[in-house]
Amino acid sequence: MRDTVILLFGQTIQMFLVLLIAPGIAGITRRVKARFMRRQGAPIIQPYRDLIKLVRKESVVAQNASWLFRSAPYAILAFTWVAAALVPTFASGLMFNWAADALALVALLGAARALLALAGMDVGTSFGGIGSSREMMIATLAEPAMLLVLLTMALTAGTTRLPEVAEFLISAPITVRVSLALALVALIIVALAENARIPVDNPATHLELTMVHEAMVLEYSGRHLAMIEMAAQLKLVLYISLIVCLFLPFGMAPAAAGPAAWPLGMAVYLVKLVLGAALLGAWEVSIAKMRVFRVGEFLGGAFVFAFLAILLAFVTREVLN
Amino acid sequence: MNHAYDVSHLLAGLMIVASFALLYQDRIFAVLNIFAAQAILLSMAVGWEAWTQQRPHLFITAALALGLKGIIIPVALHKMIVRLGVHRDIDQVVGVGKTLLIGLALTSLSLMLVLKVTATAESFTREGLALALAIILLGFLMMITRRNAITQIVGFMSLENGLILAATGARGMPLVVEVSVAFSVLIALFVFAVFVFRIRERFDSVDIEALEDVRGDTK
């Protein structure tokens, strides 16, 4: 009984931890970008202020907007939050470990994306439509690659449950695994595309011809926009956590260690997250955005890498057993 | 885990990645650089095999791969391109996306086939043969999809990289054969060069599409 309470407590910490740090991580990325461009940059807490301001403001809704338009932001935030709370962050043995399945994660993110695309088309403006159509094009290319990456990990570790994959990688002796390196490259490409980051989409743009994510959410304002921004920030934290959990899980508190190991795990996790956000900022200033029609090739590259990763993992398994 | 296997797996895996990069890349100098990188990876793989399996004559193969295919052939092709004046982009018959998908299918096919057929052989041989067959098929695919004579030569050479990898994995190709294969590849390069210059003289282009109209009786 006591154990259950402790595990539930840990899970609750994780749920609110990801929610609390998400705007901060986005703030760090923006700040790093600004500094690299020799600008002062907004303070790291600026995204929190933006969110508070948006929540207080009146929400303007188009006259022909349906119930879907009004409810979608909350549902999108809920789906993304559940997904972000399931990815193991600072400890692997939490309450809802059994649910942290890689395929469930992809399904949750897919549901949120479908809702967002529907909401983008709901009011009937041309920008919303073009944004939705592009988002779906990107998603149809990114999702298979993502699934292949997760299956590569599953093939290596023997399970699709993320905490167990992380535990396996911590405990297994360090070896050179080319399939994992390829999977990492593929997952980074997918993460950039899914988070609307620079070679694929520009999170800071409002230029009509190039925007994807911003075009879909153009009609939103006030608290609805706050929910959508929050969901986007959570998604960024989710992807950084996923990369860290699958490829750099060292320092995560193992399930057997109990709550005493949590503070250390949390400190290591936060350091990794901040590093990830800073690297993202550095990456974004050093590369130009692609034309929308080249995105297919970019994400096709991710698919090829992920496919090769799974083939090589398969060869290793076949040959060594 | 044994490091001997890990490193050879890493090098062979990177060779496959290089093969895919060759299929994907459409700038002619970049193709040459990737080809040189693949040859250097090959020589490292062969050298590693020689080191771990105590087969010193493989060092000669590694040195040949490095010297001939890592340095001499790319430099020669580079000079040829400059003299022909074809630094422009390469056009492909099939689109990049389709080519890569076919490449993935070929790779899967060769892995499935070799792993099934050689179920009783030892792990180094199976791994080497499976990946080598994939590289050979990808080389074929590159020769089929490219229209430019120079990149077809690169496809052929990359196919030959796969052959050497297979020969190293299979333990048993005599040194004499290896040396003669290496030199015949060099001779093939000269023959190709002569042909490319002849094609160019005749048609003012190294696009082999121009050859399709030739009936043999044009004077």
Tab-separated table of all heavy atoms in Angstrom, chain A residues 173-176 178-179 182 294 297-298 303-305 307-308 311-316 318-321, chain B residues 1-3 5-6 9-10 13-14 16-17 20 24 100-101 104 107-108 111-112 115 123 126-127 131:
chain	number	residue	atom	x	y	z
A	173	PRO	N	26.129	-3.845	-21.213
A	173	PRO	CA	27.481	-3.309	-21.364
A	173	PRO	C	27.569	-2.407	-22.593
A	173	PRO	O	26.860	-2.614	-23.572
A	173	PRO	CB	28.346	-4.564	-21.537
A	173	PRO	CG	27.405	-5.619	-21.975
A	173	PRO	CD	26.089	-5.298	-21.362
A	174	ILE	N	28.434	-1.425	-22.510
A	174	ILE	CA	28.542	-0.456	-23.604
A	174	ILE	C	29.193	-1.111	-24.812
A	174	ILE	O	30.284	-1.671	-24.718
A	174	ILE	CB	29.351	0.766	-23.166
A	174	ILE	CG1	28.584	1.498	-22.071
A	174	ILE	CG2	29.616	1.688	-24.346
A	174	ILE	CD1	29.287	2.703	-21.549
A	175	THR	N	28.508	-1.086	-25.934
A	175	THR	CA	29.060	-1.651	-27.159
A	175	THR	C	28.810	-0.672	-28.292
A	175	THR	O	28.029	0.263	-28.153
A	175	THR	CB	28.377	-2.979	-27.521
A	175	THR	OG1	26.974	-2.767	-27.452
A	175	THR	CG2	28.787	-4.084	-26.596
A	176	VAL	N	29.492	-0.920	-29.404
A	176	VAL	CA	29.270	-0.088	-30.578
A	176	VAL	C	28.077	-0.658	-31.326
A	176	VAL	O	28.103	-1.799	-31.756
A	176	VAL	CB	30.506	-0.113	-31.485
A	176	VAL	CG1	30.378	0.935	-32.570
A	176	VAL	CG2	31.754	0.112	-30.681
A	178	VAL	N	25.806	0.248	-34.453
A	178	VAL	CA	25.569	1.181	-35.552
A	178	VAL	C	24.070	1.397	-35.755
A	178	VAL	O	23.632	2.473	-36.123
A	178	VAL	CB	26.275	0.695	-36.827
A	178	VAL	CG1	25.689	-0.573	-37.322
A	178	VAL	CG2	26.231	1.741	-37.902
A	179	SER	N	23.260	0.367	-35.434
A	179	SER	CA	21.821	0.526	-35.655
A	179	SER	C	21.257	1.601	-34.730
A	179	SER	O	20.381	2.372	-35.125
A	179	SER	CB	21.095	-0.795	-35.448
A	179	SER	OG	21.346	-1.291	-34.176
A	182	LEU	N	22.088	5.049	-36.178
A	182	LEU	CA	21.198	5.396	-37.289
A	182	LEU	C	19.817	5.771	-36.773
A	182	LEU	O	19.192	6.725	-37.239
A	182	LEU	CB	21.091	4.219	-38.262
A	182	LEU	CG	22.360	3.868	-39.017
A	182	LEU	CD1	22.147	2.622	-39.840
A	182	LEU	CD2	22.758	5.011	-39.905
A	294	ARG	N	10.881	20.254	-50.395
A	294	ARG	CA	12.069	19.442	-50.140
A	294	ARG	C	11.946	18.669	-48.843
A	294	ARG	O	12.756	17.786	-48.561
A	294	ARG	CB	13.311	20.335	-50.090
A	294	ARG	CG	13.629	20.939	-51.425
A	294	ARG	CD	15.086	20.905	-51.713
A	294	ARG	NE	15.742	19.697	-51.252
A	294	ARG	CZ	17.048	19.611	-51.128
A	294	ARG	NH1	17.797	20.628	-51.392
A	294	ARG	NH2	17.591	18.486	-50.728
A	297	GLU	N	12.023	14.895	-49.078
A	297	GLU	CA	13.318	14.224	-49.182
A	297	GLU	C	14.002	14.124	-47.825
A	297	GLU	O	14.586	13.099	-47.485
A	297	GLU	CB	14.228	14.995	-50.147
A	297	GLU	CG	13.937	14.711	-51.594
A	297	GLU	CD	14.865	15.513	-52.494
A	297	GLU	OE1	15.994	15.808	-52.086
A	297	GLU	OE2	14.423	15.851	-53.596
A	298	PHE	N	13.895	15.230	-47.056
A	298	PHE	CA	14.517	15.273	-45.729
A	298	PHE	C	13.949	14.164	-44.842
A	298	PHE	O	14.677	13.374	-44.241
A	298	PHE	CB	14.250	16.650	-45.133
A	298	PHE	CG	14.897	16.920	-43.805
A	298	PHE	CD1	16.266	16.937	-43.682
A	298	PHE	CD2	14.128	17.185	-42.688
A	298	PHE	CE1	16.864	17.220	-42.469
A	298	PHE	CE2	14.708	17.465	-41.473
A	298	PHE	CZ	16.081	17.483	-41.369
A	303	PHE	N	13.383	8.145	-42.895
A	303	PHE	CA	12.795	6.818	-43.084
A	303	PHE	C	13.862	5.812	-43.499
A	303	PHE	O	13.923	4.693	-42.976
A	303	PHE	CB	11.697	6.902	-44.151
A	303	PHE	CG	10.995	5.606	-44.376
A	303	PHE	CD1	10.040	5.157	-43.490
A	303	PHE	CD2	11.285	4.824	-45.480
A	303	PHE	CE1	9.399	3.963	-43.682
A	303	PHE	CE2	10.651	3.618	-45.689
A	303	PHE	CZ	9.701	3.194	-44.785
A	304	VAL	N	14.743	6.225	-44.420
A	304	VAL	CA	15.801	5.309	-44.875
A	304	VAL	C	16.721	4.951	-43.716
A	304	VAL	O	17.050	3.775	-43.510
A	304	VAL	CB	16.598	5.951	-46.029
A	304	VAL	CG1	17.835	5.139	-46.342
A	304	VAL	CG2	15.733	6.065	-47.254
A	305	PHE	N	17.108	5.966	-42.922
A	305	PHE	CA	17.978	5.700	-41.772
A	305	PHE	C	17.307	4.728	-40.810
A	305	PHE	O	17.926	3.776	-40.330
A	305	PHE	CB	18.305	7.000	-41.048
A	305	PHE	CG	19.489	7.714	-41.626
A	305	PHE	CD1	19.379	9.000	-42.098
A	305	PHE	CD2	20.715	7.097	-41.685
A	305	PHE	CE1	20.463	9.658	-42.630
A	305	PHE	CE2	21.813	7.743	-42.213
A	305	PHE	CZ	21.684	9.028	-42.694
A	307	PHE	N	14.954	2.596	-41.382
A	307	PHE	CA	14.798	1.262	-41.983
A	307	PHE	C	16.126	0.499	-41.932
A	307	PHE	O	16.179	-0.678	-41.571
A	307	PHE	CB	14.327	1.398	-43.427
A	307	PHE	CG	13.611	0.191	-43.953
A	307	PHE	CD1	12.242	0.189	-44.038
A	307	PHE	CD2	14.301	-0.936	-44.349
A	307	PHE	CE1	11.569	-0.924	-44.514
A	307	PHE	CE2	13.634	-2.043	-44.816
A	307	PHE	CZ	12.272	-2.040	-44.902
A	308	LEU	N	17.228	1.223	-42.267
A	308	LEU	CA	18.544	0.580	-42.199
A	308	LEU	C	18.851	0.173	-40.770
A	308	LEU	O	19.428	-0.904	-40.523
A	308	LEU	CB	19.621	1.533	-42.706
A	308	LEU	CG	19.729	1.668	-44.205
A	308	LEU	CD1	20.814	2.647	-44.558
A	308	LEU	CD2	20.055	0.316	-44.810
A	311	LEU	N	17.067	-2.971	-40.033
A	311	LEU	CA	17.672	-4.104	-40.749
A	311	LEU	C	18.959	-4.549	-40.069
A	311	LEU	O	19.196	-5.745	-39.871
A	311	LEU	CB	17.967	-3.710	-42.198
A	311	LEU	CG	16.789	-3.676	-43.146
A	311	LEU	CD1	17.248	-3.266	-44.530
A	311	LEU	CD2	16.119	-5.027	-43.213
A	312	LEU	N	19.790	-3.573	-39.684
A	312	LEU	CA	21.062	-3.933	-39.061
A	312	LEU	C	20.836	-4.566	-37.689
A	312	LEU	O	21.536	-5.510	-37.309
A	312	LEU	CB	21.963	-2.703	-38.960
A	312	LEU	CG	22.523	-2.235	-40.303
A	312	LEU	CD1	23.291	-0.956	-40.147
A	312	LEU	CD2	23.412	-3.299	-40.908
A	313	ALA	N	19.849	-4.029	-36.946
A	313	ALA	CA	19.533	-4.635	-35.652
A	313	ALA	C	19.085	-6.079	-35.851
A	313	ALA	O	19.461	-6.987	-35.094
A	313	ALA	CB	18.442	-3.827	-34.951
A	314	PHE	N	18.318	-6.288	-36.911
A	314	PHE	CA	17.836	-7.643	-37.243
A	314	PHE	C	19.005	-8.564	-37.571
A	314	PHE	O	19.077	-9.704	-37.091
A	314	PHE	CB	16.871	-7.528	-38.422
A	314	PHE	CG	16.410	-8.827	-38.973
A	314	PHE	CD1	15.505	-9.598	-38.277
A	314	PHE	CD2	16.875	-9.279	-40.196
A	314	PHE	CE1	15.073	-10.804	-38.781
A	314	PHE	CE2	16.449	-10.482	-40.709
A	314	PHE	CZ	15.547	-11.246	-39.999
A	315	VAL	N	19.954	-8.067	-38.373
A	315	VAL	CA	21.119	-8.885	-38.736
A	315	VAL	C	21.895	-9.272	-37.489
A	315	VAL	O	22.242	-10.442	-37.291
A	315	VAL	CB	22.039	-8.111	-39.707
A	315	VAL	CG1	23.349	-8.838	-39.877
A	315	VAL	CG2	21.373	-7.964	-41.036
A	316	THR	N	22.142	-8.281	-36.614
A	316	THR	CA	22.890	-8.574	-35.395
A	316	THR	C	22.194	-9.655	-34.585
A	316	THR	O	22.827	-10.594	-34.099
A	316	THR	CB	23.001	-7.302	-34.532
A	316	THR	OG1	23.423	-6.246	-35.358
A	316	THR	CG2	23.972	-7.492	-33.411
A	318	GLU	N	20.055	-11.924	-35.600
A	318	GLU	CA	20.067	-13.215	-36.285
A	318	GLU	C	21.434	-13.873	-36.184
A	318	GLU	O	21.549	-15.076	-35.953
A	318	GLU	CB	19.720	-13.019	-37.762
A	318	GLU	CG	18.263	-12.836	-38.043
A	318	GLU	CD	17.500	-14.127	-37.828
A	318	GLU	OE1	17.829	-15.107	-38.507
A	318	GLU	OE2	16.596	-14.154	-36.973
A	319	VAL	N	22.473	-13.059	-36.389
A	319	VAL	CA	23.817	-13.622	-36.502
A	319	VAL	C	24.328	-14.065	-35.150
A	319	VAL	O	24.961	-15.115	-35.026
A	319	VAL	CB	24.751	-12.565	-37.142
A	319	VAL	CG1	26.185	-12.938	-36.927
A	319	VAL	CG2	24.464	-12.464	-38.618
A	320	LEU	N	24.026	-13.290	-34.100
A	320	LEU	CA	24.609	-13.612	-32.804
A	320	LEU	C	23.849	-14.699	-32.069
A	320	LEU	O	24.376	-15.302	-31.148
A	320	LEU	CB	24.695	-12.354	-31.943
A	320	LEU	CG	25.778	-11.374	-32.400
A	320	LEU	CD1	25.909	-10.239	-31.427
A	320	LEU	CD2	27.120	-12.072	-32.554
A	321	ASN	N	22.606	-14.941	-32.458
A	321	ASN	CA	21.866	-16.006	-31.765
A	321	ASN	C	21.891	-17.298	-32.565
A	321	ASN	O	21.355	-17.374	-33.620
A	321	ASN	CB	20.419	-15.579	-31.524
A	321	ASN	CG	20.380	-14.400	-30.591
A	321	ASN	OD1	21.281	-14.239	-29.772
A	321	ASN	ND2	19.367	-13.553	-30.722
B	1	MET	N	29.746	-8.850	-24.941
B	1	MET	CA	29.752	-8.758	-26.409
B	1	MET	C	31.196	-8.746	-26.912
B	1	MET	O	32.090	-8.265	-26.230
B	1	MET	CB	29.065	-7.451	-26.837
B	1	MET	CG	27.575	-7.466	-26.689
B	1	MET	SD	26.768	-8.388	-27.971
B	1	MET	CE	26.483	-7.082	-29.174
B	2	ASN	N	31.398	-9.268	-28.099
B	2	ASN	CA	32.761	-9.269	-28.617
B	2	ASN	C	32.984	-8.051	-29.503
B	2	ASN	O	32.203	-7.733	-30.386
B	2	ASN	CB	33.046	-10.571	-29.379
B	2	ASN	CG	31.896	-10.946	-30.270
B	2	ASN	OD1	30.918	-10.207	-30.330
B	2	ASN	ND2	32.015	-12.036	-30.971
B	3	HIS	N	34.084	-7.382	-29.223
B	3	HIS	CA	34.364	-6.151	-29.954
B	3	HIS	C	34.714	-6.436	-31.407
B	3	HIS	O	34.463	-5.609	-32.275
B	3	HIS	CB	35.485	-5.389	-29.270
B	3	HIS	CG	35.044	-4.805	-27.977
B	3	HIS	ND1	34.232	-3.708	-27.911
B	3	HIS	CD2	35.252	-5.191	-26.706
B	3	HIS	CE1	33.970	-3.429	-26.649
B	3	HIS	NE2	34.568	-4.316	-25.897
B	5	TYR	N	33.342	-8.481	-33.422
B	5	TYR	CA	32.118	-8.462	-34.216
B	5	TYR	C	31.562	-7.056	-34.316
B	5	TYR	O	31.168	-6.607	-35.394
B	5	TYR	CB	31.076	-9.395	-33.594
B	5	TYR	CG	29.733	-9.231	-34.239
B	5	TYR	CD1	29.494	-9.784	-35.483
B	5	TYR	CD2	28.741	-8.459	-33.651
B	5	TYR	CE1	28.292	-9.595	-36.112
B	5	TYR	CE2	27.544	-8.255	-34.268
B	5	TYR	CZ	27.320	-8.828	-35.504
B	5	TYR	OH	26.137	-8.641	-36.129
B	6	ASP	N	31.539	-6.343	-33.173
B	6	ASP	CA	30.939	-5.004	-33.150
B	6	ASP	C	31.563	-4.088	-34.181
B	6	ASP	O	30.864	-3.398	-34.925
B	6	ASP	CB	31.118	-4.389	-31.764
B	6	ASP	CG	30.042	-4.863	-30.822
B	6	ASP	OD1	29.029	-5.377	-31.337
B	6	ASP	OD2	30.210	-4.739	-29.613
B	9	HIS	N	30.833	-5.087	-37.746
B	9	HIS	CA	29.431	-4.753	-38.022
B	9	HIS	C	29.294	-3.254	-38.283
B	9	HIS	O	28.605	-2.833	-39.219
B	9	HIS	CB	28.584	-5.165	-36.825
B	9	HIS	CG	27.128	-4.893	-36.974
B	9	HIS	ND1	26.325	-5.604	-37.829
B	9	HIS	CD2	26.329	-3.979	-36.392
B	9	HIS	CE1	25.100	-5.145	-37.750
B	9	HIS	NE2	25.067	-4.154	-36.892
B	10	LEU	N	29.976	-2.467	-37.458
B	10	LEU	CA	29.917	-1.011	-37.617
B	10	LEU	C	30.426	-0.599	-38.996
B	10	LEU	O	29.772	0.164	-39.716
B	10	LEU	CB	30.765	-0.344	-36.535
B	10	LEU	CG	30.990	1.160	-36.675
B	10	LEU	CD1	29.738	1.905	-36.282
B	10	LEU	CD2	32.152	1.628	-35.823
B	13	GLY	N	28.137	-1.773	-41.766
B	13	GLY	CA	26.910	-0.979	-41.732
B	13	GLY	C	27.122	0.395	-42.333
B	13	GLY	O	26.299	0.889	-43.100
B	14	LEU	N	28.276	1.009	-42.012
B	14	LEU	CA	28.560	2.332	-42.576
B	14	LEU	C	28.747	2.254	-44.085
B	14	LEU	O	28.405	3.186	-44.814
B	14	LEU	CB	29.794	2.933	-41.912
B	14	LEU	CG	29.573	3.410	-40.476
B	14	LEU	CD1	30.858	3.948	-39.895
B	14	LEU	CD2	28.496	4.473	-40.426
B	16	ILE	N	27.090	0.276	-46.047
B	16	ILE	CA	25.729	0.282	-46.599
B	16	ILE	C	25.176	1.698	-46.624
B	16	ILE	O	24.569	2.140	-47.606
B	16	ILE	CB	24.802	-0.607	-45.740
B	16	ILE	CG1	25.217	-2.052	-45.836
B	16	ILE	CG2	23.361	-0.413	-46.137
B	16	ILE	CD1	24.336	-2.887	-46.668
B	17	VAL	N	25.406	2.428	-45.522
B	17	VAL	CA	24.929	3.817	-45.478
B	17	VAL	C	25.556	4.610	-46.626
B	17	VAL	O	24.878	5.401	-47.303
B	17	VAL	CB	25.269	4.457	-44.117
B	17	VAL	CG1	24.901	5.925	-44.118
B	17	VAL	CG2	24.526	3.750	-43.011
B	20	PHE	N	23.791	3.952	-49.816
B	20	PHE	CA	22.546	4.704	-49.928
B	20	PHE	C	22.824	6.165	-50.230
B	20	PHE	O	22.098	6.804	-50.995
B	20	PHE	CB	21.710	4.554	-48.661
B	20	PHE	CG	20.831	3.359	-48.695
B	20	PHE	CD1	21.238	2.166	-48.142
B	20	PHE	CD2	19.614	3.411	-49.332
B	20	PHE	CE1	20.446	1.056	-48.202
B	20	PHE	CE2	18.805	2.300	-49.398
B	20	PHE	CZ	19.228	1.117	-48.828
B	24	TYR	N	21.479	8.502	-53.285
B	24	TYR	CA	20.725	9.718	-53.015
B	24	TYR	C	21.385	10.938	-53.636
B	24	TYR	O	20.716	11.814	-54.148
B	24	TYR	CB	20.625	9.892	-51.499
B	24	TYR	CG	19.977	11.165	-51.054
B	24	TYR	CD1	18.579	11.274	-51.022
B	24	TYR	CD2	20.729	12.266	-50.677
B	24	TYR	CE1	17.978	12.432	-50.625
B	24	TYR	CE2	20.124	13.431	-50.274
B	24	TYR	CZ	18.756	13.514	-50.254
B	24	TYR	OH	18.151	14.673	-49.863
B	100	LEU	N	15.421	5.055	-53.567
B	100	LEU	CA	15.761	4.679	-52.202
B	100	LEU	C	14.864	3.545	-51.723
B	100	LEU	O	15.323	2.624	-51.037
B	100	LEU	CB	15.634	5.889	-51.275
B	100	LEU	CG	16.724	6.941	-51.448
B	100	LEU	CD1	16.504	8.092	-50.495
B	100	LEU	CD2	18.099	6.340	-51.234
B	101	LEU	N	13.575	3.598	-52.103
B	101	LEU	CA	12.673	2.521	-51.676
B	101	LEU	C	13.093	1.190	-52.292
B	101	LEU	O	13.119	0.156	-51.621
B	101	LEU	CB	11.231	2.854	-52.070
B	101	LEU	CG	10.539	3.857	-51.158
B	101	LEU	CD1	9.115	4.087	-51.615
B	101	LEU	CD2	10.548	3.367	-49.719
B	104	LEU	N	16.022	-0.044	-50.422
B	104	LEU	CA	15.672	-0.677	-49.147
B	104	LEU	C	15.142	-2.082	-49.379
B	104	LEU	O	15.476	-3.024	-48.652
B	104	LEU	CB	14.617	0.163	-48.423
B	104	LEU	CG	15.119	1.447	-47.776
B	104	LEU	CD1	13.964	2.219	-47.176
B	104	LEU	CD2	16.139	1.133	-46.704
B	107	THR	N	18.017	-4.357	-50.145
B	107	THR	CA	18.789	-4.656	-48.943
B	107	THR	C	18.072	-5.707	-48.099
B	107	THR	O	18.682	-6.686	-47.657
B	107	THR	CB	18.996	-3.380	-48.115
B	107	THR	OG1	19.401	-2.344	-48.982
B	107	THR	CG2	20.044	-3.579	-47.063
B	108	SER	N	16.768	-5.502	-47.889
B	108	SER	CA	16.012	-6.487	-47.102
B	108	SER	C	16.100	-7.853	-47.753
B	108	SER	O	16.326	-8.865	-47.087
B	108	SER	CB	14.540	-6.099	-46.990
B	108	SER	OG	14.382	-4.734	-46.931
B	111	LEU	N	19.461	-9.509	-47.226
B	111	LEU	CA	19.649	-9.952	-45.839
B	111	LEU	C	18.849	-11.216	-45.561
B	111	LEU	O	19.368	-12.198	-45.024
B	111	LEU	CB	19.235	-8.847	-44.862
B	111	LEU	CG	20.073	-7.576	-44.874
B	111	LEU	CD1	19.674	-6.664	-43.736
B	111	LEU	CD2	21.546	-7.899	-44.767
B	112	MET	N	17.573	-11.181	-45.965
B	112	MET	CA	16.714	-12.354	-45.730
B	112	MET	C	17.302	-13.587	-46.394
B	112	MET	O	17.373	-14.669	-45.811
B	112	MET	CB	15.321	-12.130	-46.312
B	112	MET	CG	14.645	-10.891	-45.842
B	112	MET	SD	13.887	-11.153	-44.284
B	112	MET	CE	12.207	-10.967	-44.723
B	115	LEU	N	20.861	-14.720	-44.862
B	115	LEU	CA	20.747	-15.240	-43.498
B	115	LEU	C	20.045	-16.595	-43.500
B	115	LEU	O	20.353	-17.465	-42.698
B	115	LEU	CB	20.009	-14.243	-42.609
B	115	LEU	CG	20.804	-12.967	-42.318
B	115	LEU	CD1	20.019	-12.043	-41.414
B	115	LEU	CD2	22.141	-13.288	-41.689
B	123	SER	N	29.380	-16.659	-37.667
B	123	SER	CA	28.693	-15.370	-37.680
B	123	SER	C	29.384	-14.353	-38.590
B	123	SER	O	28.725	-13.607	-39.307
B	123	SER	CB	28.596	-14.820	-36.265
B	123	SER	OG	29.872	-14.621	-35.727
B	126	ARG	N	28.407	-14.941	-42.251
B	126	ARG	CA	27.013	-14.617	-42.569
B	126	ARG	C	26.831	-13.124	-42.678
B	126	ARG	O	26.270	-12.609	-43.643
B	126	ARG	CB	26.097	-15.147	-41.465
B	126	ARG	CG	26.117	-16.632	-41.341
B	126	ARG	CD	25.218	-17.062	-40.236
B	126	ARG	NE	23.812	-16.926	-40.601
B	126	ARG	CZ	22.835	-16.987	-39.728
B	126	ARG	NH1	23.088	-17.161	-38.456
B	126	ARG	NH2	21.594	-16.882	-40.124
B	127	GLU	N	27.316	-12.438	-41.668
B	127	GLU	CA	27.186	-10.981	-41.643
B	127	GLU	C	27.831	-10.356	-42.883
B	127	GLU	O	27.219	-9.572	-43.599
B	127	GLU	CB	27.875	-10.488	-40.371
B	127	GLU	CG	28.283	-9.052	-40.422
B	127	GLU	CD	27.377	-8.209	-39.584
B	127	GLU	OE1	26.654	-8.774	-38.760
B	127	GLU	OE2	27.399	-6.995	-39.769
B	131	LEU	N	25.687	-8.371	-45.901
B	131	LEU	CA	25.845	-6.953	-46.187
B	131	LEU	C	26.529	-6.744	-47.534
B	131	LEU	O	26.212	-5.799	-48.269
B	131	LEU	CB	26.605	-6.278	-45.056
B	131	LEU	CG	25.850	-6.323	-43.729
B	131	LEU	CD1	26.630	-5.647	-42.631
B	131	LEU	CD2	24.492	-5.670	-43.857
